Amino acid sequence: MATTAAPVLPDGHRPNVPSAARRFPGIGSYEQVDREIAGTLSPTLGWFAALGIAILCMLVGATTWTYQIHEGLGAAGYQPPVMWGVYIVTFVFWVGIGHAGTLISAILYLFRAGFRTSIYRVSEAMTVFAVMTAGLFPILHLGRPWKFFYLIPYPNWRLIWPNPKSPLVWDVFASLTYLTISSTFLYVGLIPDIAILRDREKNPIRKAIFAQLALGWRNSDREWRHFTRAYLFLAAFATPLVLSVHSVVSFDFAMALSPGWHATIFPPYFVAGAIFSGIGMVFTIVIPLRKAFKLEHYITLNDLDAAAKLCLFTSMVVGLAYVTEFQVAWMSGNNFEQDYFWNRVFGQWAWAAWIMLICNCVVPLSLFSQKLRRNTKWLFFLSLTTNLGMWFERFVIVEPSLSHEFEPWQWGTYRPTWVDYGILLGSFGWFFMWFLLFIKQLPVMAMSEVKETLQPRLRVAHAHAGDVDHDLTEGTVYPDDTGAPH
Amino acid sequence: MQGVLGAFHELDSAVEAIEELKQNKVGDITVYTPTPRHEFEHVMKHPPSRVRVFTLIFGLCGVTFGYWIPVWISDYWPIVVGGKAIATWVPFTILGFEVMVLIGGLMTVFAMFGLAHIPRLTTTVGYDPRFSSGHFGVWVEADPDRVDEAMTILRKHGAEEVRRER
């Protein structure tokens, strides 16, 4: 006889605050996991509406890009000396967003952080789509997008290869490797779950598609044995990759001699910022998702609390990096550096710098409060300010340096045009279009991994099983989304 | 390929059945489980996966190739850039690392596919869709004269369903 009771409280609510004894107190059986997660795949009116908005935004971006190709890159608001604008800012922004996914799925996997289980699939998908989005921007920035293949390492007709000492070539290698490994990691993790969908599916066409994608997976001991090892090694490879990719992106700046860019702090500064912004985007996606799909008992308040602590920590690292930059400029004795940083915070770019500082350093301090870390409405608001702040961080890195270099006669300014804004909007539409399509075709949560944390059915009761069931039937109040457990 | 398939609702019943089947050496056993369970690893006593060997070998191949590409490119058409040496190992470490991760990671997955015998075209023999959901399955590949013995053992340990397959 099974020893795990269906953990539904008398008032119909599912508890969503884990305890040491039970990771997912609202989940009672393997079948419940399949039923509830597979249930999220049915399209709803809200999903169609969201997809429609995303496609509309994407079309705005595509139309704007077409206009830019016709009119030339001058339509995008570039004016000497500022020849890197919103496209490079947004490229770095989306690469950064793509970092939290592999951080959560790979690094937290190696560290055995339990809270990753419920959010890593969404984060991995977010990573892949964010890197796909980021990849568009260097091509957009070229002005002649049909020349993008020049960076791919193969020789031209005179047998000259791209310069392997150039950070732009490193960037191509790093971004493509990251996209390939992240996509592979996402797909490999999905195989057992696709097999579940294959076995449940009634529609013959969908069943045939799932059967192809599942590669004939049968959940045998042989398959699991090699799968778990391969997943571990892939995580071990992906971990340094996460750290390397944004370091390489930072070299695009740090290898140049411009004031504000030529600093050895850039790699760790960029990596911390990327993780911070990625966690912000995870909240932006996960919080509405758990509400819309009624997954509060999977993505528990403790999971959000733990992710919020990571957000707070990375925010403080980013804040430290900002302070260090100022300190290095102050102590360098270099007038150009000092003048540049003064101009950034109190001069021409003060408005952008203060948006960055308030959003990235001041607002996240609220996460010292446990009550706010467990308040989903606050976390969602904070995720929006984080996204805003991190976009402005990249703006503040790119524009002030180029507009305020060594010679005063070279100083200038930069003002994005409607073309920049249209393409920026289009990038969000592109990202969310893919994401929304993903969540209705494939499970948003790793079903087999959630099952791994559950107690299996046993004929002979486990020593602790009685305690767990006792807790659940005592009428404990588990508030949903508000405050700490009573 | 013929044998007996038992579907269990409880983990410990399946483990006990496997123990007895192995003790009596009835035939080759395959276990189906919706999620990896250490109980099965203990009872099946498989050696460690050889995936790691492929990871190591192809990771090393990747890093070698990753260094070789830029060195060869630089040497093929030597142009001095920024006063630096033609072949400089420090910036090439980035390419070496990225190619190591790319080749090592992809070959780890291909090795897993090869060792786990996927992709496979069919799941029909010795498999039941319940095994991806909540049931544990035990497939015993037994000679015709030992099929009854295998069925008896599976039933004795509480298999919900036992059937012959070929």
Side-chain angles (χ1 to χ4, degrees):
Chain A
M1 190 180 128
T3 56
T4 45
V8 183
L9 297 178
D11 59 1
H13 282 93
R14 293 186 185 284
N16 73 343
V17 179
S19 62
R22 196 156 189 155
R23 178 79 190 77
F24 293 107
I27 309 169
S29 66
Y30 290 176
E31 289 85 352
Q32 185 192 345
V33 176
D34 293 350
R35 195 174 53 249
E36 291 180 344
I37 305 295
T40 63
L41 299 181
S42 312
T44 59
L45 201 61
W47 177 79
F48 277 114
L51 183 66
I53 294 167
I55 290 175
L56 186 68
C57 292
M58 193 265 291
L59 289 175
V60 168
T63 311
T64 314
W65 188 12
T66 310
Y67 173 81
Q68 181 188 278
I69 290 171
H70 185 261
E71 293 295 312
L73 204 55
Y78 292 110
Q79 47 185 317
V82 183
M83 300 308 286
W84 279 12
V86 165
Y87 301 153
I88 298 297
V89 171
T90 313
F91 163 71
V92 182
F93 172 78
W94 281 115
V95 174
I97 295 294
H99 269 63
T102 311
L103 172 100
I104 289 170
S105 57
I107 298 182
L108 297 185
Y109 177 76
L110 296 180
F111 279 95
R112 299 284 185 264
F115 74 93
R116 74 176 272 286
T117 306
S118 52
I119 56 173
Y120 91 85
R121 173 66 51 71
V122 174
S123 312
E124 274 180 359
M126 181 192 82
T127 289
V128 172
F129 301 136
V131 177
M132 276 167 56
T133 312
L136 292 175
F137 279 90
I139 298 171
L140 282 158
H141 173 75
L142 288 177
R144 293 189 177 91
W146 49 93
K147 305 274 190 194
F148 79 95
F149 62 88
Y150 276 25
L151 278 172
I152 296 172
Y154 80 95
N156 69 4
W157 63 276
R158 296 182 67 191
L159 298 179
I160 299 177
W161 293 68
N163 176 14
K165 296 182 193 108
S166 162
L168 300 181
V169 172
W170 305 344
D171 217 1
V172 171
F173 269 84
S175 301
L176 289 179
T177 303
Y178 191 55
L179 180 63
T180 310
I181 294 295
S182 302
S183 312
T184 307
F185 206 47
L186 173 67
Y187 178 61
V188 168
L190 270 167
I191 292 172
D193 290 355
I194 297 173
I196 296 172
L197 298 180
R198 173 199 65 200
D199 293 343
R200 290 176 61 87
E201 187 59 57
K202 301 279 185 269
N203 180 316
I205 297 170
R206 280 173 67 88
K207 196 177 184 75
I209 294 170
F210 284 139
Q212 294 297 319
L213 291 174
L215 306 175
W217 180 267
R218 305 194 307 168
N219 297 287
S220 70
D221 55 330
R222 167 192 281 270
E223 288 166 353
W224 281 121
R225 186 159 59 95
H226 298 300
F227 174 90
T228 47
R229 284 289 104 177
Y231 198 79
L232 179 72
F233 291 126
L234 208 50
F237 267 136
T239 297
L241 187 64
V242 174
L243 305 179
S244 81
V245 174
H246 227 51
S247 300
V248 170
V249 170
S250 81
F251 293 155
D252 290 345
F253 302 94
M255 295 289 285
L257 296 175
S258 300
W261 284 2
H262 195 58
T264 50
I265 195 179
F266 260 42
Y269 167 29
F270 267 55
V271 170
I275 295 168
F276 177 56
S277 66
I279 299 281
M281 190 58 99
V282 167
F283 282 137
T284 308
I285 289 170
V286 157
I287 290 170
L289 206 64
R290 78 192 273 274
K291 187 87 179 165
F293 288 169
K294 298 184 174 56
L295 294 177
E296 286 94 343
H297 52 302
Y298 287 85
I299 304 168
T300 64
L301 288 178
N302 281 24
D303 297 338
L304 296 179
D305 189 335
K309 284 177 187 164
L310 190 58
C311 185
L312 173 62
F313 173 71
T314 47
S315 150
M316 286 163 55
V317 175
V318 167
L320 178 66
Y322 295 159
V323 174
T324 309
E325 275 192 309
F326 283 102
Q327 190 210 8
V328 168
W330 176 43
M331 297 181 73
S332 68
N334 183 330
N335 288 340
F336 301 106
E337 282 289 315
Q338 290 166 354
D339 194 51
Y340 159 78
F341 277 102
W342 184 267
N343 183 48
R344 186 203 263 194
V345 185
F346 300 111
Q348 187 183 3
W349 301 103
W351 61 278
W354 285 101
I355 291 175
M356 171 191 89
L357 289 169
I358 291 168
C359 291
N360 295 349
C361 302
V362 179
V363 179
L365 293 178
S366 62
L367 295 177
F368 273 111
S369 157
Q370 190 197 43
K371 200 167 181 180
L372 291 177
R373 285 201 307 271
R374 304 177 79 90
N375 183 326
T376 52
K377 290 186 181 70
W378 177 255
L379 286 179
F380 185 69
F381 170 75
L382 183 121
S383 75
L384 298 180
T385 61
T386 302
N387 294 331
L388 181 73
M390 287 309 296
W391 191 86
F392 270 99
E393 183 200 279
R394 280 63 182 253
F395 185 87
V396 165
I397 287 170
V398 175
E399 310 311 338
S401 283
L402 292 175
S403 63
H404 204 88
E405 283 198 298
F406 300 98
E407 301 284 359
W409 61 266
Q410 278 188 325
W411 292 350
T413 191
Y414 171 74
R415 186 165 293 127
T417 65
W418 66 270
V419 173
D420 294 285
Y421 294 126
I423 288 178
L424 177 61
L425 181 69
S427 75
F428 280 90
W430 167 263
F431 171 80
F432 280 106
M433 178 191 76
W434 285 111
F435 190 81
L436 287 163
L437 288 171
F438 173 83
I439 62 174
K440 285 296 170 190
Q441 305 306 324
L442 293 164
V444 292
M445 212 164 285
M447 295 146 93
S448 54
E449 207 166 307
V450 171
K451 287 176 186 173
E452 209 174 335
T453 65
L454 301 180
Q455 191 192 349
R457 283 192 201 84
L458 299 172
R459 191 172 48 183
V460 180
H462 188 272
H464 301 298
D467 300 342
V468 175
D469 290 346
H470 177 72
D471 285 348
L472 289 167
T473 51
E474 281 293 291
T476 315
V477 177
Y478 292 94
D480 184 37
D481 291 2
T482 49
H486 300 300
Chain B
M1 187 169 73
Q2 61 176 336
V4 181
L5 186 66
F8 290 85
H9 216 201
E10 291 98 10
L11 174 73
D12 47 354
S13 308
V15 171
E16 286 164 13
I18 294 165
E19 273 172 350
E20 191 169 339
L21 286 166
K22 281 179 84 82
Q23 213 169 25
N24 295 356
K25 297 187 175 137
V26 179
D28 287 343
I29 298 169
T30 301
V31 182
Y32 299 110
T33 167
T35 186
R37 297 293 315 182
H38 64 86
E39 293 89 345
F40 290 127
E41 284 174 32
H42 291 165
V43 73
M44 294 298 288
K45 295 187 176 68
H46 285 304
S49 169
R50 280 180 290 131
V51 164
R52 57 190 174 168
V53 178
F54 292 86
T55 308
L56 178 68
I57 291 171
F58 285 100
L60 291 173
C61 289
V63 73
T64 310
F65 186 58
Y67 270 111
W68 178 79
I69 299 170
V71 170
W72 184 84
I73 288 174
S74 304
D75 203 42
Y76 185 75
W77 193 297
I79 302 171
V80 177
V81 179
K84 297 185 186 77
I86 297 295
T88 45
W89 69 270
V90 175
F92 297 169
T93 300
I94 293 166
L95 303 184
F97 171 78
E98 300 296 342
V99 179
M100 177 192 75
V101 171
L102 186 66
I103 294 180
L106 289 178
M107 292 314 293
T108 299
V109 174
F110 288 128
M112 184 266 281
F113 285 174
L115 293 168
H117 296 178
I118 55 174
R120 75 173 76 240
L121 294 176
T122 174
T123 58
T124 48
V125 178
Y127 181 72
D128 190 292
R130 283 177 292 179
F131 301 150
S132 67
S133 182
H135 283 68
F136 304 98
V138 178
W139 162 253
V140 192
E141 211 175 309
D143 293 334
D145 56 329
R146 304 204 68 182
V147 163
D148 288 338
E149 186 188 351
M151 292 178 88
T152 309
I153 292 171
L154 291 170
R155 283 205 187 95
K156 188 177 93 181
H157 288 284
E160 201 177 76
E161 185 192 341
V162 178
R163 63 171 190 252
R164 289 175 188 229
E165 289 209 6
R166 58 182 306 137

